[in-house]
Amino acid sequence: RKEVEQDPGPFNVPEGATVAFNCTYSNSASQSFFWYRQDCRKEPKLLMSVYSSGNEDGRFTAQLNRASQYISLLIRDSKLSDSATYLCVTSGGYNKLIFGAGTRLAVHP
Amino acid sequence: DAGVIQSPRHEVTEMGQEVTLRCKPISGHDYLFWYRQTMMRGLELLIYFNNNVPIDDSGMPEDRFSAKMPNASFSTLKIQPSEPRDSAVYFCASSPDRLNEKLFFGSGTQLSVL
């Protein structure tokens, strides 16, 4: 079983739609959680950290459920520019980050 | 700030040749990471350094791969001999002294081994 699992998608949504991604992780000792965004042929970039109480950054909301070991990302009012691959990231052992394979989002007009 | 700088951006080589990838982390960042990304396996951590010392190299595929960090501003990832299955995008990333700070990635090296 992979340490971090994501639905690869693609999620095809129209502009203005709300879309949600989930991610499950296997290491119950994980302490840090993040969502990264990766555009085609580019490097990953941090989108937001995920806190236990849930957190919001503009149109983006991230939540953590430790009991079920999953993380979610909600995007409201999708824009064309949101089209990208979203990578779920957790901390593994020895202070290293483990990346999921990513969920691809395509927002169309 | 120039960010993490990797070279070359693209490398095409023939099977059996030695390949050296280079990385300059952001000044002041104590952690440096080498990742490999493929369609099949996603983003995999190969090795990481803390203050120039290798901490975890459990992700290095085999003895053909080696990485060094001779000083705080430079690291190399070497593949010798290279094989077609090594074809991937290799990313270098650095972060400040606490891991829960964000990773800053370089633009990557697209490696093709023919």
Side-chain angles (χ1 to χ4, degrees):
Chain A
R1 182 187 173 191
K2 292 182 180 178
E3 288 194 62
V4 179
E5 298 210 50
Q6 297 182 248
D7 181 342
F11 285 63
N12 293 298
V13 303
E15 274 186 290
T18 295
V19 61
F21 310 135
N22 286 332
C23 158
T24 58
Y25 61 95
S26 61
N27 186 351
S28 59
S30 294
Q31 294 296 318
S32 302
F33 307 90
F34 310 90
W35 283 101
Y36 274 69
R37 171 192 168 128
Q38 186 173 24
D39 293 296
C40 188
R41 301 183 190 283
K42 299 285 190 180
E43 70 274 19
K45 293 182 179 178
L46 179 67
L47 177 66
M48 59 195 302
S49 301
V50 185
Y51 303 119
S52 298
S53 55
N55 49 297
E56 192 173 302
D57 183 1
R59 297 181 294 108
F60 299 83
T61 300
Q63 292 193 316
L64 167 64
N65 184 320
R66 285 190 184 273
S68 301
Q69 294 183 203
Y70 80 79
I71 306 155
S72 66
L73 177 68
L74 182 78
I75 305 175
R76 292 182 299 277
D77 189 23
S78 299
K79 312 290 185 191
L80 294 176
S81 57
D82 293 335
S83 298
T85 296
Y86 291 83
L87 305 171
C88 173
V89 186
T90 72
S91 59
Y94 302 105
N95 283 341
K96 60 186 183 184
L97 295 183
I98 308 297
F99 284 74
T103 297
R104 196 151 58 90
L105 172 65
V107 182
H108 56 82
Chain B
D1 190 345
V4 176
I5 299 173
Q6 290 187 246
S7 64
R9 288 297 304 273
H10 303 275
E11 177 80 35
V12 181
T13 191
E14 293 186 344
M15 183 173 63
Q17 297 297 305
E18 178 179 294
V19 175
T20 299
L21 310 181
R22 297 173 176 80
C23 175
K24 176 178 167 53
I26 293 173
S27 177
H29 282 193
D30 292 336
Y31 287 86
L32 184 139
F33 304 80
W34 282 101
Y35 282 87
R36 177 173 69 176
Q37 188 173 38
T38 60
M39 289 290 291
M40 292 294 293
R41 302 172 70 91
L43 202 60
E44 301 174 283
L45 177 65
L46 301 177
I47 185 172
Y48 81 93
F49 296 83
N50 178 210
N51 292 322
N52 314 338
V53 176
I55 302 301
D56 183 358
D57 65 354
S58 59
M60 296 286 261
E62 48 198 273
D63 292 345
R64 297 184 298 106
F65 285 69
S66 62
K68 294 182 180 179
M69 192 165 186
N71 57 62
S73 59
F74 184 65
S75 177
T76 59
L77 178 67
K78 186 175 293 187
I79 308 172
Q80 167 63 19
S82 58
E83 297 183 3
R85 60 191 168 124
D86 301 331
S87 299
V89 179
Y90 290 81
F91 287 105
C92 174
S94 70
S95 74
D97 56 6
R98 288 188 304 141
L99 187 62
N100 58 0
E101 301 280 347
K102 68 182 195 179
L103 284 182
F104 294 78
F105 282 83
S107 299
T109 295
Q110 173 75 61
L111 173 65
S112 298
V113 183
L114 306 177

